[in-house]
Amino acid sequence: MDETARLGETIKELLAEGRDERLADVLEDAHPADVSRVIRELPPDEQVRVFRLVAPQRAGAVLSELDDPILRELIGSLGATEVSRILDRMPTDHVVEVVEELPKEQAEGILELMEEEKSEEVQELLEYGEGTAGRLMSPEFIAVHERATVAQALEHIRKAATGDDAFYVWVVDDHDHLVGLVPLHRLLAADPATPISAIRNEDVEAVSVDTDQEEVARLVQHYNVIEVPVVDANRRLLGTIGVEDVIDVIREEATE
């Protein structure tokens, strides 16, 4: 019996025994992908019961792993206000993945209840065509000016809310044009007084917002990169696409 199967048996036993406090502890220690797989196997009423026992800061990660129609059924059972609070905690690109699975009227209702700034970011991404880099990208990334020093870049990362998952620090000019990148490990090893321009990679493969997601996946596989920058027609940096999103694209294409 694999780890997910054992988790499923444990969750079902705790549900049957009504041990919600212990169940919450088990869910806290489990990976969101495993929790979502177990939820898929449960009847609708128990899906809601289990999901509501997931810690608020982890609920979004579990929700984004669920697929239609289970996603729509669960969201319908939770209610728009409860869902909007969960989505407010999630990365913008993951919210897009959830919202685009919902009927238009239901999605609009949830977006209206979300925090204004997050809702606007989600709606901006939804304006890009389905299956494009613009729809897939995250607008949350770390960028520093080309004239900054290593010390200034590190301080910027410390203060940034989006720095936890950063692999690259993107380098931009006065007009936010993409002019290079610095791998995080190189930044940490450099002398604090070193100019970013001295350690950046200037040859950066980027995609436009209307690039097909399959082409993005091919680029990631060919160049073996962890993130792909997304730019507009003037090469202004708009967002990035992480390798985890590309893996989802590859799965979708394989399923098709």
Side-chain angles (χ1 to χ4, degrees), residues 76-239:
S77 299
L78 292 172
T81 301
E82 187 174 357
V83 173
S84 69
R85 297 288 78 82
I86 295 170
L87 298 186
D88 279 333
R89 293 172 173 265
M90 293 170 59
T92 305
D93 54 327
H94 292 181
V95 178
V96 170
E97 293 174 5
V98 172
V99 170
E100 64 185 358
E101 295 287 347
L102 305 176
K104 183 178 180 181
E105 186 174 333
Q106 185 180 18
E108 289 176 348
I110 290 173
L111 287 170
E112 287 181 3
L113 293 171
M114 289 176 61
E115 294 176 359
E116 185 176 357
E117 184 177 353
K118 177 60 71 70
S119 178
E120 289 176 353
E121 289 177 351
V122 172
Q123 292 180 71
E124 285 177 9
L125 293 186
L126 287 170
E127 290 178 3
Y128 295 110
E130 188 173 352
T132 66
R135 179 72 72 91
L136 199 61
M137 72 179 180
S138 168
E140 300 160 359
F141 54 87
I142 300 292
V144 298
H145 195 278
E146 60 184 339
R147 290 197 295 274
T149 64
V150 167
Q152 290 171 329
L154 290 173
E155 182 63 21
H156 179 62
I157 293 172
R158 291 189 190 99
K159 294 179 178 179
T162 57
D164 291 347
D165 299 323
F167 293 102
Y168 302 133
V169 175
W170 306 99
V171 185
V172 296
D173 64 13
D174 291 327
H175 304 288
D176 291 329
H177 298 136
L178 178 64
V179 293
L181 69 81
V182 180
L184 192 57
H185 66 86
R186 184 185 301 171
L187 191 70
L188 294 171
D191 185 283
T194 302
I196 287 294
S197 57
I199 61 171
R200 69 181 174 186
N201 292 341
E202 295 184 7
D203 186 18
V204 182
E205 293 293 332
V207 297
S208 65
V209 290
D210 57 356
T211 300
D212 188 274
Q213 62 180 16
E214 293 181 50
E215 181 59 32
V216 177
R218 281 193 289 269
L219 188 150
V220 168
Q221 291 175 304
H222 182 73
Y223 291 102
N224 194 29
V225 292
I226 299 173
E227 284 181 277
V228 178
V230 183
V231 298
D232 64 13
N234 297 314
R235 203 171 169 79
R236 187 169 59 94
L237 184 60
L238 300 178

